[in-house]
Amino acid sequence: MKKIIIANWKMGLTFKETQFLLEKISTFEAYRHFLIVCPDFLNLAQATQILKDTKIKTGGQNCSFHHHGAYTGEISALDIKAAGAEYVIIGHSERRRIFKEDNSMINQKIKIALEAKLKPILCLGESLLERKTGRTRPVLSSQLKNALKGIKIRKASDLLLAYEPVWAIGSGQPMESEEAERMHKYIAERAFALTGKRLAVIYGGSVKPDNAHDFIKQKNIAGLLVGGASLQAKSLKRLLNI
Ligand code: PEP
């Protein structure tokens, strides 16, 4: 079954490396899954240009929680859309933890992204401490509820959810795929209760070509959000054909 692979390149490539990788993936032929590439902002417009004759879509890695105005260093959702992107990652744990994004900022970003006709990829995930103290489900439920407060989702495809246990990101220690499947089912049910829509829930956290199949074979896992392993054309190609 066709799944969604999201390549989150973070700040992991130089300008030149990004261009090189984009050129490479624009030559990929017949692959199984659907690919969304999220380069840094400097490369976003050009990425969309380079990939325009392919089925590959692009996304921003973040957006401002303001519409427009005197916000030095911010990037608006409208400009991300104008650069040709269809998606935007919101609430990645690195944004929550390092840049102190809270639930109300994330909620505002989702509203603004939807108004700009971008499809948010909302990231959710528990920390190791929350996991160890048995709070995973309440934490996920509250992240979801707060992020979607006051938001009406018109079509299921307007919003993607990414379940990324914080302890699994970049650690080389993915969640067991059977446990991930149970968590995805839980998140999908909570999301349905809140939105009335069957949203796609994607897994992220130390996915590599060698373990990707364990996840995508699961019924409730709609795809993969991949950081480290999406930075090389060879492993990205393998992920797309699993
Ligand atoms: C991520 O940054 O969202 C991520 C899943 O990274 P990695 O694949 O490197 O764990």
Side-chain angles (χ1 to χ4, degrees), residues 8 10 92 94 164 168-171 204-208 225-229:
N8 177 15
K10 312 191 188 191
H92 191 281
E94 288 153 12
E164 300 207 291
I169 298 179
S171 64
S206 294
V207 172
K208 306 275 176 274
L225 199 166
V226 188

Side-chain angles (χ1 to χ4, degrees), residues 11-239:
M11 205 169 74
L13 297 169
T14 63
F15 187 76
K16 273 201 170 156
E17 286 166 345
T18 307
Q19 307 272 309
F20 183 73
L21 185 51
L22 284 166
E23 294 292 351
K24 276 220 143 163
I25 65 175
S26 71
T27 65
F28 282 3
E29 276 169 18
Y31 41 84
R32 183 167 302 159
H33 304 298
F34 178 76
L35 177 62
I36 303 167
V37 172
C38 302
D40 60 35
F41 286 128
L42 218 48
N43 283 286
L44 188 55
Q46 203 175 350
T48 309
Q49 264 307 107
I50 294 173
L51 301 173
K52 72 177 187 318
D53 296 327
T54 73
K55 293 201 168 104
I56 303 167
K57 304 291 181 195
T58 57
Q61 296 178 13
N62 179 30
C63 69
S64 177
F65 62 100
H66 295 289
H67 282 100
H68 167 84
Y71 301 105
T72 303
E74 287 288 84
I75 309 281
S76 75
L78 279 172
D79 273 353
I80 294 171
K81 179 73 183 178
E86 230 175 83
Y87 296 85
V88 60
I89 298 174
I90 293 180
H92 191 281
S93 66
E94 288 153 12
R95 300 289 326 166
R96 293 181 193 253
R97 187 171 43 86
I98 306 168
F99 300 99
K100 311 286 177 239
E101 288 189 9
D102 61 21
N103 284 321
S104 74
M105 279 161 84
I106 290 166
N107 175 251
Q108 192 58 23
K109 287 183 184 203
I110 295 197
K111 284 183 185 155
I112 287 179
L114 288 169
E115 278 167 32
K117 307 257 176 300
L118 284 167
K119 297 174 184 165
I121 301 164
L122 168 63
C123 299
L124 313 165
E126 79 287 359
S127 68
L128 190 57
L129 180 66
E130 288 160 344
R131 174 176 171 81
K132 283 188 171 160
T133 50
R135 285 182 289 147
T136 299
R137 290 183 183 219
V139 164
L140 296 175
S141 173
S142 134
Q143 286 177 348
L144 201 51
K145 199 167 125 211
N146 285 305
L148 299 181
K149 207 182 222 160
I151 293 176
K152 183 162 170 40
I153 303 299
R154 290 179 206 290
K155 282 197 281 94
S157 59
D158 284 350
L159 175 70
L160 300 178
L161 301 177
Y163 173 49
E164 300 207 291
V166 179
W167 49 271
I169 298 179
S171 64
Q173 305 230 295
M175 179 174 258
E176 288 283 331
S177 56
E178 286 78 16
E179 186 185 358
E181 166 67 0
R182 288 193 295 279
M183 295 312 302
H184 279 66
K185 186 165 183 291
Y186 171 74
I187 293 168
E189 284 167 2
R190 291 301 311 134
F192 183 73
L194 290 166
T195 64
K197 298 285 181 289
R198 306 244 170 245
L199 302 180
V201 191
I202 286 155
Y203 172 79
S206 294
V207 172
K208 306 275 176 274
D210 291 342
N211 62 21
H213 188 255
D214 295 342
F215 294 99
I216 60 167
K217 71 178 185 199
Q218 307 289 345
K219 184 168 155 248
N220 287 285
I221 300 185
L224 303 167
L225 199 166
V226 188
S230 71
L231 295 171
Q232 293 102 27
K234 209 166 144 196
S235 67
L236 195 49
K237 199 169 190 178
R238 279 183 66 200
L239 286 166

